[in-house]
Amino acid sequence: MAVTLSATGAGGLLDRETVINDFSIQVATVNGSGSQSANLVLLRSIFRMGIPVSGKNLFPSNIAGLPTWFTIRANKHGYVARKAQNELFVAMNPETIAEDEAQLMPGAVFIYNSDLKFTPSREDVLAVGVPFGAIVAQTCQEVKLRKLVTNMVYVGVLAQLIGIDLNEIEAALAKQFKGKEKAATLNFSAVQAGFDWAATNLDFKVPYRLERMDATAGKIIIEGNRAAALGCLFAGTTVVAWYPITPSTSLCENLIGYLEKHRLDPETGKATFGVVQAEDELAAAGIVFGASWAGARAMTATSGPGISLMNEFVGLAYFTEIPGVIFDVQRVGPSTGLPTRTQQGDLMALYHASHGDTKHLVLIPATPQEAYELAYQAFDLSERFQTPVFVMLDLDLGMNSWMADPFPYLDQPLDRGPVVTAEDLTRRVEQAPEGAKHDVFGRYRDVKGDGIPERTLPGTPHPLAAYFTRGSGHTSEAKYSEKPADYTWLVDRLARKHETARKYVPTPVEDWQGAEVSIVAYGTSEYAVQEARDLLAAQGISTNYLRVKALPFTPSVKEFVKKSRRVYVIDQNRDGQMASLLKLEIDPADAPKIRSIRHYDGMPIDAMSIVEPVLEMEKH
Amino acid sequence: MATTTPGPQTNRLGLTLNDYKGAPSTLCAGCGHDAITGQIVRAFYEMGVEPHRVAKLSGIGCSSKTPAYFLNKAHGFNSVHGRMPAVATGTMLANRQLLAIGVSGDGDTASIGMGQFIHLLRRNVPMIYVVENNGVYGLTKGQFSATADLGSTLKSGVANDLPPVDLCALAVQLGCSFVARSFSGDPKQLVALLEAAMAHRGTALLDVISPCVTFNNHEGSTKSYTAAKELDIPLHTLGFIPAFSQIEAEIDPGETRVVEMHDGSKLTLKKLARDYDPTDRAAAMATLMESNGKGEFLTGLIYVNEQQPDFISSLNLVDEPLATLPSSKVRPGKAVLDQVMESLK
């Protein structure tokens, strides 16, 4: 078996100093070829070695056949944002192999399937041809199984080259194929075959090495969608209405799985939840608001195109003051956009969803733990404020694998908001003065001056409980009205309610260093910003940081800008949507401080996409 | 001589007809919809339904205004155009103990809401779904709707050149478990159908021809009072006896067919010209097609299936409303979270 090494020792690569626990591996495969298992085993094995790690799936909008890439970043400092370049590359896809080689960084290790008709041409990378077909044939007698385990061979080759512990691979395989021992054994034999082949045929050491650390003990690996699903489960969600759409689908699928497992009544075996796969997003939203109107905790999850369809109902729910939680796992827009790529392009669309003067509560988690906590909190806020609440994730958070600490059990009682019961009404009637006994409840009254009204639920057994819900103009008593004064009173109260929400929504994460330069970001930009701040600090630029976790802005956002000298706002969209919103809401005198940094090519933002523009703008 | 003033009549709950009324109607004087509202009031009164148990739902349009005009002690929801079915589905999921009545129009159901209407029927969501069908858009002042008959004309003389959507045929085809058609000018039949619909478990569709006095009550209309009266072919005459009344004496075995509703109520169908079996789905479809061909307006109970499970029952939900389950029933404990976390390590 021939080993192809490019000439001249790959530009001296083999003589370089070894980099320990700080590099990325990318694997190129054909969508649908079963590479996901191999990639997750690779990820989990590194994680089990105690090394901080993240995994990102770059996949096409296609069922099978198109190119797909998986990137694993291992980093001893815990940086888990995307890195634009990868030190190690595994090329299994004949369609992209030439392109894959062309985009490698100098000094990269290029492991490729030598069964493919391909001749390496880069002088500055180390090309390692691996005869996958022959290796698999040796270890797997059954021809029809060979295709299934081929990808495991590169796990073995990498294990030998960069030092992944085979025991950890075995343990990761056992987890991956839980309950299917035969499959685990067969896959491990392919790993072993790859490892042995590399040990025999590759008599050199690459300058990238993994060494056991202790930075992942007790931690979990989870995707953001699964984390959000757990938030819904523990928030007591009882109605789920959804329509499948990438990249939100796994949120509902995970939630339904958890509900079926953990939410059957122990005495009767009956469900304490109802799930509807609706005919479209219009119906999904209608079911959510119908159920919430009747008092259930209801949710749906969708992506940009679904948000567009749900807008009509969102406006109705805003105006009629009905709770409901909508997860938007963003992909790239406008229109169908790039269905399997990530962006933060829906911020404005969520904040002002639907026609007329509307303003919504939007929660913006950055990490899996926040996806869990804010999903949970969304229901409390939605019922407290009787209004739709959006939870804005993106594909990067929702569908990729992240390391996290185990989630805390959220112990505070559920906030079901101001719901007036039949007993409450009876008591109020008893206590009301003569002549006012029929006036103890009005659906849209501003009872405490904070804009938040009270509601009764359909089915409340009291003659004073009923009211009429309508999307047309109405009075504080829920009567139809087109009178100018009634309308302005109503929309002004809604604005007042929104102002009250500023004090209740999650406060930003803030790190004030008294520096000249401030950074504002939100959502998944968090990871790249953390790394960028360290890189900037290494260049002598210390930074303050504020990460927005919700709309409307809490007062601290305005204060942060006020006390800052220059504010770089990081957006993963073309138009700098967060920068625009900030300019609208801060003191106009502070607006010139805002400088927008935008990243919007569909790839998760990386640290250098922040560092470079900051350095550039700091010159001026 | 002392006289006693007789008190108003009451139903089995001790409530009067007035207790089932709503706000005064703002529809045109003589509107067919107001007649239907009157029969809804009567049916709920006669059935002795507790008003607070009822959820009144609608979309947008003249018909959709009507839930405000009946049962003012019931919660009402006037939602968005054509999307009442989804709201009703959610409502019933949240609280299966409610009795839902949706009122819609021919535009709301057969055009903008066609998708949701179809899926409501597919799911057999337990509710009464009344279509107040006048073949015309009233609130936008007189355009054809999708149920307007081919060749019928607007007031301006413009003729309709598209075939109508037959909501009953569509419903039978989709397996809707209760399909009936009636006429706002036939209170006796309509009340019997509404009462049977209340006793039914599943979607009960009532397509009620309800002439629009302002825009569609003229010579060229096939949905005017005159046309409806002339073309009306009742399949049977209907009688309804709720489960709580004495039943046996009312039924004449030779000339009637009795449909037993799931709650034990009985719907009697007295044979008219034809021998019609409303439990035979294929025959129901054939009869509708035949009638449509003749330009008849067939009324009565077209199809019923009391065996088909409704959507809420098929979900195996707990008996109490999901909406008000205590937190102890809907929040798994810390052990469950720990178990999930362990599986992710």
Side-chain angles (χ1 to χ4, degrees):
Chain A
M1 282 180 272
V3 176
T4 316
L5 293 181
S6 63
T8 67
L13 176 71
L14 299 178
D15 306 324
R16 285 191 193 177
E17 200 177 322
T18 303
V19 178
I20 310 287
N21 295 348
D22 185 11
F23 51 83
S24 290
I25 307 165
Q26 189 163 44
V27 180
T29 49
V30 180
N31 196 26
S33 67
S35 51
Q36 189 71 349
S37 304
N39 295 333
L40 289 176
V41 163
L42 207 48
L43 175 84
R44 197 165 278 281
S45 307
I46 299 169
F47 172 76
R48 292 181 66 92
M49 289 175 69
I51 305 160
V53 73
S54 67
K56 291 191 198 300
N57 213 339
L58 180 62
F59 61 104
S61 178
N62 166 268
I63 301 299
L66 288 185
T68 176
W69 292 269
F70 188 80
T71 309
I72 295 170
R73 182 171 186 193
N75 183 279
K76 59 189 168 202
H77 307 294
Y79 298 135
V80 288
R82 185 177 76 90
K83 235 176 49 163
Q85 296 208 291
N86 305 289
E87 284 78 1
L88 291 127
F89 198 97
V90 180
M92 302 294 285
N93 188 343
E95 295 235 349
T96 62
I97 191 163
E99 237 178 281
D100 288 337
E101 189 204 31
Q103 56 82 42
L104 290 172
M105 60 179 266
V109 176
F110 185 59
I111 298 163
Y112 69 98
N113 186 347
S114 61
D115 302 338
L116 306 176
K117 291 190 184 85
F118 174 74
T119 312
S121 60
R122 289 273 296 267
E123 299 268 314
D124 58 344
V125 303
L126 175 68
V128 182
V130 180
F132 280 87
I135 299 172
V136 170
Q138 274 177 2
T139 183
C140 183
Q141 300 307 316
E142 282 187 67
V143 178
K144 62 178 183 180
L145 291 179
R146 284 178 192 166
K147 207 180 144 199
L148 295 176
V149 299
T150 302
N151 290 310
M152 286 295 163
V153 173
Y154 65 70
V155 177
V157 172
L158 277 170
Q160 203 282 332
L161 272 182
I162 60 175
I164 306 171
D165 188 333
L166 281 183
N167 292 325
E168 299 298 10
I169 293 179
E170 200 167 9
L173 273 168
K175 192 176 179 76
Q176 186 79 18
F177 296 101
K178 204 176 170 189
K180 296 177 203 154
E181 259 177 49
K182 257 183 139 171
T185 310
L186 178 68
N187 277 282
F188 188 68
S189 70
V191 173
Q192 185 75 56
F195 186 92
D196 292 345
W197 179 88
T200 311
N201 294 282
L202 308 180
D203 58 348
F204 52 83
K205 280 205 160 72
V206 297
Y208 305 108
R209 200 82 196 148
L210 292 172
E211 283 180 7
R212 195 170 275 281
M213 294 174 58
D214 192 20
T216 67
K219 290 191 192 290
I220 58 170
I221 292 185
I222 191 168
E223 315 88 51
N225 280 350
R226 182 181 292 277
L230 284 168
C232 296
L233 173 76
F234 287 96
T237 304
T238 55
V239 172
V240 177
W242 69 300
Y243 187 78
I245 179 171
T246 303
S248 75
T249 303
S250 62
L251 201 165
C252 286
E253 285 180 340
N254 280 310
L255 175 56
I256 293 163
Y258 286 128
L259 287 168
E260 285 170 353
K261 192 161 176 201
H262 301 294
R263 285 274 299 279
L264 298 179
D265 187 280
E267 284 155 35
T268 60
K270 290 184 175 180
T272 62
F273 60 91
V275 175
V276 189
Q277 186 186 318
E279 58 269 31
D280 52 38
E281 287 91 344
L282 306 166
I287 292 166
V288 165
F289 292 118
S292 300
W293 175 69
R297 288 203 144 185
M299 65 75 69
T300 186
T302 189
S303 182
I307 292 291
S308 294
L309 289 175
M310 290 176 183
N311 262 323
E312 184 188 28
F313 260 123
V314 169
L316 175 82
Y318 171 80
F319 198 48
T320 56
E321 300 178 69
I322 300 173
V325 176
I326 300 176
F327 290 86
D328 177 15
V329 188
Q330 299 165 102
R331 62 192 216 184
V332 176
S335 188
T336 312
L338 308 179
T340 59
R341 305 296 162 90
T342 196
Q343 208 170 69
Q344 297 178 323
D346 299 350
L347 188 74
M348 288 282 203
L350 296 182
Y351 193 38
H352 293 294
S354 194
H355 53 271
D357 285 321
T358 50
K359 279 192 278 191
H360 304 289
L361 310 192
V362 184
L363 307 187
I364 314 171
T367 65
Q369 181 167 328
E370 284 183 2
Y372 162 76
E373 289 176 350
L374 297 190
Y376 182 97
Q377 210 177 339
F379 290 91
D380 282 357
L381 285 167
S382 184
E383 290 199 304
R384 166 65 38 192
F385 288 91
Q386 299 155 62
T387 198
V389 171
F390 290 106
V391 187
M392 191 182 99
L393 290 81
D394 61 19
L395 181 142
D396 189 21
L397 176 59
M399 290 189 71
N400 285 329
S401 297
W402 301 92
M403 211 172 63
D405 286 319
F407 302 160
Y409 191 70
L410 302 170
D411 247 341
Q412 70 271 31
L414 303 179
D415 182 355
R416 303 299 313 264
V419 174
V420 180
T421 64
E423 294 75 40
D424 295 334
L425 289 169
T426 304
R427 196 176 328 110
R428 287 184 188 185
V429 170
E430 281 166 13
Q431 290 167 358
E434 224 32 71
K437 292 199 179 291
H438 283 277
D439 195 31
V440 296
F441 166 71
R443 168 63 178 106
Y444 295 115
R445 290 179 191 167
D446 190 355
V447 272
K448 291 182 182 160
D450 56 4
I452 303 175
E454 299 174 325
R455 63 174 179 148
T456 53
L457 304 181
T460 303
H462 195 285
L464 296 178
Y467 66 89
F468 206 90
T469 301
R470 45 165 65 83
S472 44
H474 44 271
T475 66
S476 63
E477 309 306 306
K479 304 270 186 253
Y480 179 75
S481 171
E482 292 186 10
K483 288 181 185 158
D486 287 338
Y487 173 78
T488 49
W489 177 85
L490 175 56
V491 291
D492 287 346
R493 182 179 55 73
L494 288 167
R496 196 150 62 239
K497 188 166 81 165
H498 189 76
E499 286 306 308
T500 303
R502 287 186 199 280
K503 294 180 223 120
Y504 284 78
V505 296
T507 48
V509 171
E510 194 173 338
D511 176 23
W512 184 259
Q513 297 286 338
E516 287 276 303
V517 172
S518 292
I519 293 177
V520 170
Y522 58 106
T524 46
S525 299
E526 162 75 7
Y527 298 96
V529 170
Q530 289 299 355
E531 190 175 350
R533 290 183 72 203
D534 290 352
L535 292 169
L536 285 167
Q539 304 234 19
I541 298 179
S542 161
T543 52
N544 314 305
Y545 180 39
L546 179 135
R547 178 162 57 78
V548 175
K549 279 171 77 176
L551 298 176
F553 295 124
T554 58
S556 54
V557 175
K558 208 186 263 190
E559 287 157 25
F560 180 86
V561 177
K562 172 74 53 198
K563 66 188 178 187
S564 290
R565 300 287 292 272
R566 289 183 297 287
V567 183
Y568 292 90
V569 182
I570 318 298
D571 268 294
Q572 293 187 55
N573 54 62
R574 183 194 66 184
D575 292 345
Q577 296 185 20
M578 179 61 85
S580 299
L581 280 180
L582 271 176
K583 284 179 190 166
L584 283 174
E585 295 217 4
I586 56 174
D587 181 343
D590 291 328
K593 296 175 181 175
I594 303 282
R595 296 176 177 187
S596 181
I597 293 179
R598 297 155 302 117
H599 172 93
Y600 49 93
D601 62 2
M603 304 294 281
I605 191 170
D606 61 301
M608 292 313 290
S609 295
I610 298 165
V611 172
E612 284 166 0
V614 169
L615 291 177
E616 184 57 31
M617 284 190 263
E618 279 297 295
K619 281 190 208 156
H620 304 293
Chain B
M1 201 168 66
T3 55
T4 53
T5 317
Q9 272 200 319
T10 57
N11 64 9
R12 64 184 177 130
L13 296 178
L15 298 174
T16 66
L17 193 65
N18 264 334
D19 291 318
Y20 289 85
K21 289 185 176 164
S25 169
T26 58
L27 299 172
C28 309
C31 177
H33 298 359
D34 284 336
I36 298 172
T37 296
Q39 305 324 318
I40 290 172
V41 168
R42 175 152 296 279
F44 276 97
Y45 163 76
E46 286 182 359
M47 288 292 279
V49 175
E50 294 168 292
H52 74 260
R53 271 193 60 223
V54 179
K56 312 175 290 182
L57 303 141
S58 64
I60 295 288
C62 295
S63 61
S64 291
K65 288 170 170 276
T66 66
Y69 311 148
F70 59 85
L71 267 75
N72 65 6
K73 291 202 169 44
H75 274 73
F77 194 161
N78 186 191
S79 66
V80 286
H81 208 357
R83 327 257 182 249
M84 173 265 281
V87 176
T89 305
T91 300
M92 291 310 292
L93 270 171
N95 188 347
R96 61 185 301 172
Q97 294 172 358
L98 293 171
L99 173 57
I101 176 166
V103 184
S104 182
D106 38 318
D108 197 60
T109 291
S111 289
I112 190 166
M114 184 61 113
Q116 295 214 337
F117 173 66
I118 285 172
H119 289 277
L120 179 90
L121 302 183
R122 273 185 71 222
R123 294 192 180 105
N124 204 22
V125 175
M127 72 176 298
I128 305 163
Y129 190 109
V130 179
V131 183
E132 300 186 339
N133 187 348
N134 56 19
V136 75
Y137 284 81
L139 274 180
T140 49
K141 300 197 189 313
Q143 300 78 22
F144 282 123
S145 85
T147 64
D149 288 310
L150 189 64
S152 64
T153 63
L154 292 177
K155 247 171 127 176
S156 62
V158 175
N160 181 29
D161 53 8
L162 288 173
V165 171
D166 181 340
L167 293 173
C168 289
L170 188 67
V172 172
Q173 198 278 326
L174 288 161
C176 177
S177 55
F178 184 113
V179 182
R181 182 174 281 150
S182 192
F183 172 42
S184 64
D186 185 353
K188 193 165 175 292
Q189 185 195 52
L190 184 53
V191 167
L193 286 171
L194 281 164
E195 291 179 358
M198 265 176 245
H200 177 67
R201 189 162 56 192
T203 308
L205 171 68
L206 273 74
D207 177 23
V208 187
I209 302 304
S210 171
C212 172
V213 286
T214 306
F215 295 107
N216 209 14
N217 198 28
H218 51 88
E219 214 164 276
S221 163
T222 56
K223 289 185 166 54
S224 65
Y225 275 108
T226 322
K229 277 189 175 144
E230 274 174 11
L231 302 173
D232 185 4
I233 310 284
L235 283 164
H236 28 236
T237 56
L238 292 169
F240 181 78
I241 304 134
F244 51 80
S245 299
Q246 290 295 319
I247 293 172
E248 287 75 15
E250 298 271 340
I251 298 167
D252 179 357
E255 294 297 320
T256 59
R257 185 185 163 90
V258 179
V259 177
E260 183 164 347
M261 313 307 289
H262 91 273
D263 69 348
S265 299
K266 302 245 166 34
L267 184 62
T268 62
L269 301 94
K270 287 192 184 151
K271 192 169 90 177
L272 289 178
R274 56 180 120 195
D275 198 6
Y276 183 74
D277 176 5
T279 62
D280 182 339
R281 194 164 153 208
M285 194 57 116
T287 309
L288 277 174
M289 305 292 265
E290 183 195 316
S291 255
N292 283 351
K294 291 187 203 159
E296 290 175 357
F297 162 47
L298 209 59
T299 61
L301 180 68
I302 292 163
Y303 176 67
V304 67
N305 177 359
E306 284 299 293
Q307 262 64 55
Q308 192 180 325
D310 74 85
F311 184 61
I312 304 301
S313 313
S314 67
L315 292 176
N316 190 34
L317 302 187
V318 290
D319 298 336
E320 56 269 53
L322 294 181
T324 47
L325 285 176
S327 134
S328 59
K329 291 229 174 192
V330 297
R331 287 190 69 198
K334 185 171 183 300
V336 168
L337 180 70
D338 292 345
Q339 184 194 328
V340 174
M341 289 300 114
E342 200 51 41
S343 73
L344 297 167
K345 278 182 179 164

